């Protein structure tokens, strides 16, 4: 049997065509080249998952999975044209969704209380906006304060933010802001035309500068190539600081959207994406996000082995279904996983 030489995964010792490495530690790097990321994706599946699992254990308890629960605080009628999204108003036959106004603060806090009683530790409030309006900021900050008072972590995803809106959310104590890059810069314009990749990076920089934890990831299974999945992770890992939380969504193909008939991604390529995210961003929470409803228990277990440390919990994502709580808890029981 030949044994691969053990080298550390650092810019000095790792070259693009050296695919024989094993990680000694897990360097926090921000200078990944595309070919290095592609070399990770191209590793034999068993080697890749093994390495990811090993890196995972350096910084995370492999038997704990964090539970975040979503709520849509303002649904539908969105002016953006994100090709995957049920909430865009741009699709001529519509997606069958009724648009709503911003929810009342107390209703959001009551729903968060229920989520906490069900076991969720973080509450993620999402709005179908390009950006919030300044007139909504008082309600939004009251939601943050109300949910925090329950002893839960808070997350919001409201679209692009202005500097003053970001500051208001930070002052209210918002723990995380979710804003996904979604895919690679090259593939982005095939999916969204109404705002740019740079717009997204600008919002992420504002959030970071205000001291709010950054949650940023993307979607796979949109018809992108492996090099796009590599590009998405390259963008995220090469940010000045790694995101604290990286949601990896499997596309939920929603009827009425331009991506409704896109060919499904091979599940092993999904696991590879989780594994590469884990290796490149060792300390981040890597969240197994949308798409779990269509995943087998075995596939989800492989994702946990490959470094997923968090899930969206609760029977609804924003507008589409998610596995029922008792189904998730039964899976955790079978795998000896503790919810956190
Ligand atoms: N409107 C805000 C925005 O886009 O910035 C916040 C909410 S938006 C629904 C949050 C994220 O959900 C998107 O960036 C995308 O990554 C993910 N998402 C939306 N629809 C999805 C779908 N059908 N399948 C998988 N992920 C989806
Ligand atoms: C993220 O990356 N995924 C979540 C959250 N951030 C906001 C949203 C998933 C939405 C899935 C489709 C839907 O339910 O509308
Ligand atoms: Fe609007 Fe967000 Fe959906 Fe894009 S992803 S259409 S911005 S709700």
């Amino acid at each position: 049997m030949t044994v691969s030489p053990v080298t550390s995964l650092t810019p000095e010792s790792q070259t693009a065509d050296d695919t024989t490495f094993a990680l000694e530690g897990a360097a926090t790097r921000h200078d990944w080249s595309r070919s290095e990321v592609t070399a990770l994706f191209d590793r034999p599946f068993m080697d890749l998952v093994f390495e990811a699992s090993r890196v995972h254990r350096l910084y995370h308890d492999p038997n704990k999975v964090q539970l975040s629960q979503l709520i849509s605080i303002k649904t539908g009628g969105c002016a953006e044209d994100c090709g995957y999204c049920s909430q865009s108003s741009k699709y001529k036959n519509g997606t069958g969704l009724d648009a709503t106004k911003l929810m009342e603060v107390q209703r959001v806090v009551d729903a968060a209380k229920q989520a906490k009683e069900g076991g969720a530790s973080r509450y993620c409030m999402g709005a179908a906006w390009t950006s919030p309006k300044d007139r909504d900021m008082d309600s939004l900050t009251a939601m943050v304060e109300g949910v925090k008072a329950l002893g839960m972590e808070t997350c919001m995803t409201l679209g692009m933010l202005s500097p003053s809106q970001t500051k208001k959310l930070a002052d209210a104590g918002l723990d995380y802001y979710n804003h996904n890059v979604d895919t690679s810069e090259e593939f982005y314009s095939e999916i969204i035309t109404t705002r740019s990749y740079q717009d997204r990076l600008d919002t992420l920089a504002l959030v970071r500068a205000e001291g709010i934890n950054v949650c940023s990831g993307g979607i796979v299974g949109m018809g992108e190539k492996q090099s796009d999945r590599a590009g998405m992770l390259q963008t995220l890992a090469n940010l000045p600081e790694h995101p604290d939380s990286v949601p990896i969504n499997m596309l939920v193909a929603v009827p009425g959207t331009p991506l409704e008939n896109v060919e499904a991604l091979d599940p092993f390529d999904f696991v590879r994406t989780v594994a590469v995210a884990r290796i490149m961003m060792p300390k981040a929470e890597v969240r197994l996000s949308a798409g779990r409803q269509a995943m087998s228990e075995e596939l989800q277990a492989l994702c946990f082995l490959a470094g997923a440390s968090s899930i969206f919990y609760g029977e609804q994502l924003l507008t589409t279904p998610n596995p029922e709580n008792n189904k998730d808890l039964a899976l955790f029981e079978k795998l000896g996983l503790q919810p956190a």
Side-chain angles (χ1 to χ4, degrees), residues 70 84-87 97 124-126 155-157 178-180 182 215-219 246-250 252 254 287 289-291 312 316-321:
L70 282 163
Y84 47 76
C85 189
S86 62
Q87 308 199 68
L97 204 68
C124 303
M125 296 161 264
C155 179
M156 283 187 156
T157 180
N178 167 246
H179 200 60
N180 291 338
D182 275 350
C215 172
S216 189
I219 313 179
V246 180
I248 307 291
N249 296 276
M250 176 82 106
V252 179
V254 177
R287 184 167 305 109
S289 302
F312 281 123
Q316 176 93 349
L317 293 166
L318 290 173
T319 67
T320 65

Side-chain angles (χ1 to χ4, degrees), residues 19 35-45 48 226 272 276:
T19 54
S35 57
E36 285 178 307
V37 187
T38 301
L40 283 176
F41 270 94
D42 283 342
R43 296 203 78 195
F45 185 81
L48 176 62
Q226 180 185 280
R272 281 181 186 276
V276 175

Side-chain angles (χ1 to χ4, degrees), residues 16 78 156 161 339:
C78 185
M156 283 187 156
L161 296 177

Side-chain angles (χ1 to χ4, degrees), residues 23 44-57 60 62 65 233 246 248 267-282 284-288 298-310 335 337:
L23 292 165
F45 185 81
M46 300 306 161
D47 289 352
L48 176 62
V49 172
F50 181 82
E51 292 291 0
S53 208
R54 209 168 80 74
V55 172
H56 187 46
R57 282 163 185 264
H60 306 266
V65 174
L233 296 180
V246 180
I248 307 291
F268 293 116
D269 289 328
F270 185 82
V271 180
R272 281 181 186 276
T273 310
V274 170
V276 175
R278 166 53 66 226
I279 290 170
M280 293 175 73
M281 293 169 278
E285 214 160 53
V286 173
R287 184 167 305 109
L288 174 52
E298 295 86 337
L299 174 56
Q300 294 183 61
L302 259 185
C303 291
F304 296 132
L305 190 65
S309 56
S310 166
L335 300 177
L337 290 173

